[in-house]
Amino acid sequence: MKLCRAEYKTIAKFTEQLRPTRQCMKILKERFPNHSPSTLLSIFSLEYQKKMKRTNLRHHAPDVVEGYYQRYLSEAKIRPSAPVLLEIANEVDLSPSLLARLVLERFLEEREDSVSSKQVVNSMLREPCLIPDLLLAKHVEQCTINDCCYGPLVDCIKHAIGQEHEEILRDKLRERNLSFLDENQLRAKGYDKTPDIILEVPIAVEGHIVHWIESKASFGDDQSHRTYLNEQFWSYWNRFGPGLVIYWYGFIAELDCLRDRGILLKDCFPSDIVTLCHETTSN
């Protein structure tokens, strides 16, 4: 789904009032019924992550963390069955999973009189049953389950969705009998930074030559696309020539402005593929 920049900004502006809980998707679908839930969730996730990056330092100030921790202890004691951490996160406009991490780190510091390693904290967030406090474990789990933008559950889902769409791309190529090398095969050949697919025989899509294809199971907004261009796409272009990027959940239509420079954007697998033949030399 391609959106004009004005339409994207309308959705992005609306997401500013939402929190990353399950209810936000219901609100988004009711407000924008003509857009796919996957596209809406991807846009919301992108915008919320930008917001968290802007406010990150404020939430991590030692006195602020201490305030969150003491408030949690106080309210959890009075209302142990209530989703205390989740309520605090929504009130202070912080991702539930990020608040759970801050409170867990502070709890472990107090318990062990030292700062726990990132590995220990991550393992407890993935498996709250490892937290040596049953009540805190329950509240941390509530945060990770109800957070649709951050946390170990979201990371697993995003990874699985990314893998799924890469497999969809490979299946589409096989259906068209197109020879290709995927990322794993390319790395085995010694390439360190590769697109998802290198076509062994180039194709033409809408009159543009394509040597490689990159799969993105996300929405392509200005910021993420600019980052991908600088960190991935231009290096692919320099090494392999012109290519195609598929943003499966759509993108801002105005970003598809680099076709003549060798980078084509699509929101689905192209249907009008022309296979190009390698030139041969005859004696």
Side-chain angles (χ1 to χ4, degrees), residues 114-247:
S114 63
V115 178
S116 297
S117 69
K118 185 176 181 180
Q119 183 178 1
V120 170
V121 174
N122 287 342
S123 65
M124 290 184 177
L125 289 172
R126 286 193 301 269
E127 299 182 70
C129 62
L130 299 176
I131 298 173
D133 182 291
L134 292 179
L135 187 57
L136 178 58
K138 182 184 74 171
H139 290 144
V140 166
E141 185 175 33
Q142 287 174 338
C143 286
T144 57
I145 289 176
N146 285 282
D147 195 327
C148 65
C149 292
Y150 284 94
L153 181 59
V154 172
D155 291 341
C156 288
I157 292 172
K158 286 183 177 179
H159 178 73
I161 291 174
Q163 294 289 318
E164 178 187 8
H165 283 81
E166 288 176 20
E167 186 58 36
I168 290 173
L169 174 56
R170 288 190 288 266
D171 287 343
K172 295 289 186 181
L173 292 168
R174 294 185 190 105
E175 289 173 7
R176 298 296 299 267
N177 293 317
L178 297 172
S179 298
F180 64 89
L181 296 173
D182 63 24
E183 191 175 15
N184 293 328
Q185 293 170 311
L186 290 165
R187 287 180 177 172
K189 289 178 175 289
Y191 290 100
D192 58 343
K193 195 172 186 179
T194 69
D196 294 315
I197 296 293
I198 293 290
L199 297 164
E200 295 189 294
V201 177
I203 61 175
V205 176
E206 298 176 9
H208 296 271
I209 296 176
V210 170
H211 288 274
W212 54 268
I213 305 176
E214 179 74 5
S215 171
K216 295 296 184 188
S218 61
F219 184 88
D221 70 337
D222 289 286
Q223 183 173 310
S224 60
H225 185 63
R226 183 168 56 249
T227 299
Y228 287 139
L229 281 171
N230 293 333
E231 297 182 358
Q232 296 180 349
F233 304 158
W234 287 129
S235 65
Y236 300 161
W237 183 91
N238 286 330
R239 181 174 293 187
F240 305 109
L244 164 66
V245 179
I246 302 178
Y247 283 111

Side-chain angles (χ1 to χ4, degrees), residues 11-121:
I11 298 173
K13 181 69 175 177
F14 183 80
T15 65
E16 292 178 2
Q17 63 183 289
L18 302 179
R19 301 292 183 267
T21 58
R22 294 178 180 179
Q23 290 76 21
C24 77
M25 280 312 303
K26 179 181 179 182
I27 297 171
L28 277 171
K29 286 188 288 186
E30 290 175 351
R31 178 64 178 81
F32 303 101
N34 295 326
H35 297 76
S36 77
S38 297
T39 295
L40 294 173
L41 177 58
S42 186
I43 291 174
F44 173 67
S45 181
L46 288 168
E47 291 301 312
Y48 192 77
Q49 288 169 20
K50 293 175 194 174
K51 183 178 182 179
M52 289 299 97
K53 289 177 181 177
R54 291 194 302 267
T55 61
N56 185 53
L57 289 178
R58 171 169 60 85
H59 292 295
H60 281 72
D63 59 325
V64 175
V65 173
E66 186 63 25
Y68 292 157
Y69 182 59
Q70 294 302 328
R71 180 177 172 186
Y72 164 72
L73 292 177
S74 175
E75 296 194 17
K77 185 176 181 179
I78 299 172
R79 302 183 296 129
S81 60
V84 173
L85 267 184
L86 192 60
E87 292 174 355
I88 296 174
N90 291 333
E91 181 183 325
V92 302
D93 199 7
L94 177 61
S95 155
S97 289
L98 295 183
L99 178 62
R101 174 181 287 276
L102 291 176
V103 170
L104 176 59
E105 289 174 340
R106 179 65 184 85
F107 166 78
L108 293 173
E109 180 182 353
E110 182 176 73
R111 179 185 176 89
E112 301 172 8
D113 198 28
S114 63
V115 178
S116 297
S117 69
K118 185 176 181 180
Q119 183 178 1
V120 170
V121 174

